[in-house]
């Protein structure tokens, strides 16, 4: 059998491999800690240095950013230091001191004395005759993978999460007392069909328009706020450097009479904040279920009372926060989303909303 094992080790300071990310949704908040207090806001197109990753959060000099709202190409691996090793790699399955060892398992050799090698395997120490080992010495790099990756020795394979540490040598990699010959990033290539997305959006638009048209509020006022049909040019699929897909949806709102005629001379404002946030929540949720795996960016436009629509802000939602359950109701959706909506967008004061929504 062949081998490995640690006689001593020395870790050097972290090697800086700062990269840059770019915001590709309407905005991304920089927070003190993930999900913490907002320190500043970055807008679409803004760039900033990225120094490290933690799950779907990225560290910058000013704080943490939800990377679902960004495009970045962080180095696949980060070198943390070096580790001199003595070792032995098992070449065929066998049993040593009651331990069952598989091909390519690694024994770390602490020392060799009087024809005996002190070996370590999965935190267990035992003696092995030196003649049974092919002890080698080498210096390995201590690395951390920044993206999901797969280790393989040709027979066995294991999937690594971002942030996993392992040893890298000239001939391969050591991870959990096993020697692997290859390390490859898991390449994410999300497939999202624009026609499918458009149909799903308009299906929801029709449902919510029907609810608004038949509401008691519309009966009392004689008109309602209609969400206009979403066209091809109202949907933008954003493909990011890390293989993900975000979607930007432009929603246009306009007053309509109950008889179906548009109200042309008035600036449109939205009624009932809860029902609108529920619509945006449901739209985001369904788009994530349709394959979008970065963000949903809803751009809100309203009729300006003349002959066009004006931009009144946005609501952005993160895929990973959706997966963690932050879109279960409209209040959680509101608290976890990135948003900036014009105060002039809304029609009634908050206390009027509350009374109407309680009814």
């Amino acid at each position: 059998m062949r081998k490995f094992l640690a006689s001593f080790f020395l870790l050097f300071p972290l090697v800086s491999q700062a990269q840059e990310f770019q915001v590709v949704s309407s905005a991304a908040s920089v927070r003190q800690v993930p999900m913490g207090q907002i320190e500043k806001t970055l807008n679409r197109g803004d760039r900033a240095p990225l120094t490290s990753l933690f799950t779907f959060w990225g560290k910058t000099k000013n704080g943490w950013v939800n990377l679902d709202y960004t495009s970045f190409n962080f180095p696949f691996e980060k070198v943390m230091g070096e580790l001199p090793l003595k070792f032995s790699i098992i070449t065929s399955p066998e049993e040593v001191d009651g331990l069952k060892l598989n091909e390519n398992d690694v024994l770390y050799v602490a020392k060799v004395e009087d024809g005996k090698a002190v070996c370590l395997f999965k935190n267990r120490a035992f003696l092995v005759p030196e003649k049974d080992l092919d002890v080698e010495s080498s210096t390995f790099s201590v690395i951390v993978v920044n993206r999901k990756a797969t280790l393989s020795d040709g027979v066995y394979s294991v999937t690594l999460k971002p942030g996993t540490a392992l040893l890298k040598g000239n001939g391969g990699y050591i991870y959990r007392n096993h020697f692997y010959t290859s390390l490859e990033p898991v390449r994410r290539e999300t497939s999202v069909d624009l026609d499918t997305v458009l149909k799903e959006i308009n299906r929801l638009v029709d449902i919510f328009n029907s609810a608004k048209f038949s509401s008691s509020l519309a009966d009392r006022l004689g008109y309602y706020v209609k969400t206009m049909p979403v066209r091809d040019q109202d949907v933008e699929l954003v493909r990011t450097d890390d293989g993900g897909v975000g979607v930007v949806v432009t929603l246009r709102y306009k007053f309509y009479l109950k008889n179906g005629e548009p109200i042309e001379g008035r600036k449109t404002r939205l009624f009932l904040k809860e029902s609108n946030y529920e619509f945006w929540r449901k739209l985001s949720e369904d788009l994530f279920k349709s394959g979008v795996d970065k963000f949903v960016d809803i751009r809100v436009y309203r009729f300006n009372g003349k002959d066009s629509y004006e931009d009144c802000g946005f609501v952005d939602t993160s895929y990973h926060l959706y997966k963690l359950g932050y879109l279960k109701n409209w209040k959680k959706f509101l608290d976890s989303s990135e948003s900036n909506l014009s105060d002039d967008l809304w029609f009634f004061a908050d206390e009027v909303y509350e009374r109407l929504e309680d009814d």
Side-chain angles (χ1 to χ4, degrees):
M1 55 184 177
R2 296 155 46 212
K3 326 43 205 200
F4 293 118
L5 236 275
S7 53
F8 68 95
F9 64 89
L10 176 63
L11 291 181
F12 292 99
L14 172 68
V15 177
S16 176
Q17 292 182 316
Q19 296 292 303
E20 189 177 65
F21 68 84
Q22 181 178 23
V23 178
V24 290
S25 64
S26 287
S29 295
V30 179
R31 302 174 182 270
Q32 284 186 348
V33 295
M35 295 300 295
Q37 180 176 325
I38 297 174
E39 295 294 315
K40 62 183 295 187
T41 299
L42 300 175
N43 298 316
R44 189 174 191 179
D46 286 350
R47 297 176 180 271
L50 177 65
T51 58
S52 60
L53 304 179
F54 175 71
T55 62
F56 57 96
W57 293 91
K59 182 71 168 62
T60 76
K61 66 178 182 178
N62 295 315
W64 293 85
V65 173
N66 184 332
L67 293 176
D68 282 350
Y69 300 123
T70 73
S71 183
F72 68 97
N73 190 8
F74 208 74
F76 175 51
E77 62 187 48
K78 179 187 295 183
V79 179
M80 306 293 290
E82 292 184 342
L83 182 62
L85 290 178
K86 286 185 178 180
F87 58 88
S88 178
I89 302 177
I90 306 300
T91 57
S92 61
E94 58 183 280
E95 186 172 311
V96 176
D97 195 35
L99 286 174
K100 292 183 178 179
L101 302 176
N102 296 313
E103 182 180 355
N104 286 329
D105 277 348
V106 176
L107 299 180
Y108 297 125
V109 179
K111 67 177 181 177
V112 178
E113 188 174 273
D114 299 329
K116 295 285 187 178
V118 179
C119 295
L120 305 174
F121 184 80
K122 295 184 177 178
N123 297 321
R124 177 176 171 180
F126 50 89
L127 294 175
V128 178
E130 182 183 6
K131 63 181 179 62
D132 293 339
L133 301 178
D134 181 14
V135 179
E136 302 178 30
S137 297
S138 184
T139 297
F140 284 76
S141 297
V142 181
I143 67 170
V144 173
V145 292
N146 288 317
R147 298 200 296 276
K148 190 176 181 180
T150 299
L151 276 170
S152 176
D153 66 358
V155 177
Y156 300 104
S157 63
V158 61
T159 300
L160 306 180
K161 295 180 179 180
T164 302
L166 64 156
L167 302 176
K168 178 181 180 180
N170 292 330
Y173 305 84
I174 299 177
Y175 177 68
R176 292 186 174 179
N177 283 100
H178 196 80
F179 185 77
Y180 297 90
T181 54
S182 68
L183 175 67
E184 298 292 336
V186 176
R187 302 194 180 278
R188 184 178 63 160
E189 293 295 339
T190 306
S191 177
V192 178
D193 181 69
L194 181 58
D195 289 338
T196 301
V197 168
L198 194 60
K199 288 178 182 178
E200 179 59 24
I201 293 172
N202 280 315
R203 183 186 73 83
L204 285 175
V205 166
D206 289 343
I207 291 172
F208 276 82
N209 275 340
S210 177
K212 291 177 182 178
F213 176 83
S214 59
S215 69
S216 58
L217 180 60
D219 289 338
R220 286 152 59 185
L221 295 176
Y223 63 92
Y224 69 104
V225 180
K226 181 178 180 179
T227 307
M228 306 304 291
V230 178
R231 309 159 298 176
D232 288 354
Q233 58 265 41
D234 296 326
V235 180
E236 176 191 2
L237 294 182
V238 180
R239 301 188 183 276
T240 60
D241 290 343
D242 58 328
V245 174
V247 60
V248 181
V249 181
T250 297
L251 298 180
R252 293 170 294 121
Y253 292 90
K254 189 172 184 178
F255 282 145
Y256 269 73
L257 296 172
K258 291 278 287 184
N259 64 12
E261 295 181 10
I263 298 177
E264 300 291 350
R266 288 182 58 189
K267 183 181 291 187
T268 301
R269 289 182 171 87
L270 303 186
F271 301 138
L272 303 178
K273 288 184 176 180
E274 179 178 334
S275 63
N276 283 285
Y277 276 111
E278 177 59 24
F279 171 46
W280 298 331
R281 183 201 72 82
K282 181 61 176 172
L283 176 58
S284 299
E285 183 179 63
D286 281 14
L287 290 177
F288 287 137
K289 290 178 180 178
S290 298
V292 174
D293 62 356
K294 287 287 284 187
F295 64 87
V296 173
D297 183 350
I298 298 172
R299 302 291 314 186
V300 179
Y301 281 71
R302 54 95 176 272
F303 185 67
N304 65 2
K306 299 176 182 178
D307 56 2
S308 62
Y309 290 81
E310 61 186 22
D311 187 351
C312 287
F314 64 88
V315 181
D316 291 353
T317 309
S318 153
Y319 171 75
H320 281 94
L321 293 183
Y322 151 71
K323 292 291 286 185
L324 290 173
Y326 284 84
L327 267 66
K328 288 185 176 179
N329 57 61
W330 74 271
K331 288 185 178 179
K332 282 190 172 183
F333 170 81
L334 177 59
D335 290 340
S336 62
S337 62
E338 306 279 352
S339 63
N340 185 14
L341 295 171
S342 168
D343 291 337
D344 188 51
L345 174 66
W346 304 102
F347 194 86
F348 292 124
D350 287 344
E351 57 268 22
V352 179
Y353 285 125
E354 292 171 4
R355 290 198 296 272
L356 288 171
E357 288 167 357
D358 286 344
D359 290 339

